[in-house]
Each structure stands twice: as C-alpha cells, then as structure tokens.
Amino acid sequence: MNLASRMSFADENSLPESPVILLVDDDPEILDATSILLETEGYVVRTAREGGEALEQIEGGLTPAIILLDLMMPGMNGFEFYGRLRGLPAPAGRTPVIVISAMRETERRAAELGAEDTLTKPYELSDLLDKIGRRLGRC
C-alpha cells in the first residue's frame, strides 16, 4: 500500500478526534516508516518533504496537533519553517514541535528555536511515541 492510499485509509477509518501529526522530513524512507508507525498508533499523518510544503498545508487549513520537524532539508529548511510557523496566528503558530535531526547539536539548536522537544537520529520508535504521547496528553 503506498503512502497516498495509506493516508486515505487513515482518513476514512480514523475517529474524528484522532490527532493529526504533520511529519516534515526530506527522507522518503523516514516519511513512510514513521507514517506507518504513527497510523498504527491511531494518529492521522500528513507529510511534507520540506518546510515550504508544510507551510502551504498549514496555511491551507491543516491544524496539526503536533509537528515532527527535521532541520536539514532542501528548499525551506526546518529553521526557516519554524520561524515562519511561529509568526502565524494561533492555533497554527502555537503548534508543539518536536525537532528530529541527525545533527550532533540537535538539542541545543532546538532549544535555541524554542521547540518543545527533540530526538536525535537514529532514535528508538518507542522514544518517539513516548514524546508524542506526553505532548498530546496520551501518557
């Protein structure tokens, strides 16, 4: 099942209260694997391969409960996206962000941005689920 059909499957079979997670990463393998994991956990997942695409979705009406954000991407990188996101009015501009990056200084850079949490690649999937659950009050 490809990503598009999984997304429509999730839309049709998710309860209306299922939180929407926006996953922003340029790596297609990370997008696919993480989407499958999160959908299995009952989340609705939207993806973007760079910050500009993510910003278009949000400005088009998407209101994610949380954003998982890679920092280093072609096009609009995570740093620029984060700055633009925080410039938007609430609720979009207040969406919690978990920075996920392979950069050694992930935690320091994410703290400088003001992100709510961080994960350094490679990470344990259980750690990702735990961080999302805590941010969304599911733990």
Side-chain angles (χ1 to χ4, degrees):
M1 184 182 305
N2 67 27
L3 183 58
S5 57
R6 278 199 321 274
M7 285 175 57
S8 62
F9 177 79
D11 290 344
E12 294 167 4
N13 294 293
S14 296
L15 298 173
E17 64 272 0
S18 294
V20 175
I21 296 176
L22 177 57
L23 174 59
V24 188
D25 198 303
D26 61 319
D27 185 327
E29 290 179 11
I30 289 174
L31 290 176
D32 280 347
T34 306
S35 293
I36 291 168
L37 169 75
L38 294 174
E39 289 168 353
T40 300
E41 293 295 317
Y43 297 105
V44 175
V45 180
R46 294 290 177 265
T47 61
R49 290 184 153 203
E50 53 93 22
E53 184 181 334
L55 197 59
E56 285 177 15
Q57 290 184 45
I58 291 168
E59 290 173 338
L62 178 66
T63 52
I66 197 162
I67 297 171
L68 305 178
L69 179 64
D70 185 19
L71 294 178
M72 303 308 293
M73 298 175 286
M76 183 187 292
N77 66 36
F79 299 102
E80 185 179 350
F81 168 79
Y82 190 89
R84 300 270 302 271
L85 174 72
R86 291 301 183 234
L88 296 175
R94 302 293 172 250
T95 304
V97 174
I98 297 176
V99 169
I100 301 175
S101 180
M103 292 178 18
R104 285 185 182 161
E105 300 177 345
T106 298
E107 288 185 27
R108 182 182 65 78
R109 299 293 295 269
E112 288 173 3
L113 283 174
E116 286 72 16
D117 216 332
T118 62
L119 270 174
T120 302
K121 294 176 185 175
Y123 53 86
E124 295 293 324
L125 296 177
S126 60
D127 291 339
L128 174 64
L129 291 173
D130 181 54
K131 288 178 184 282
I132 291 170
R134 279 188 278 136
R135 290 284 159 212
L136 298 180
R138 288 187 157 194
C139 291

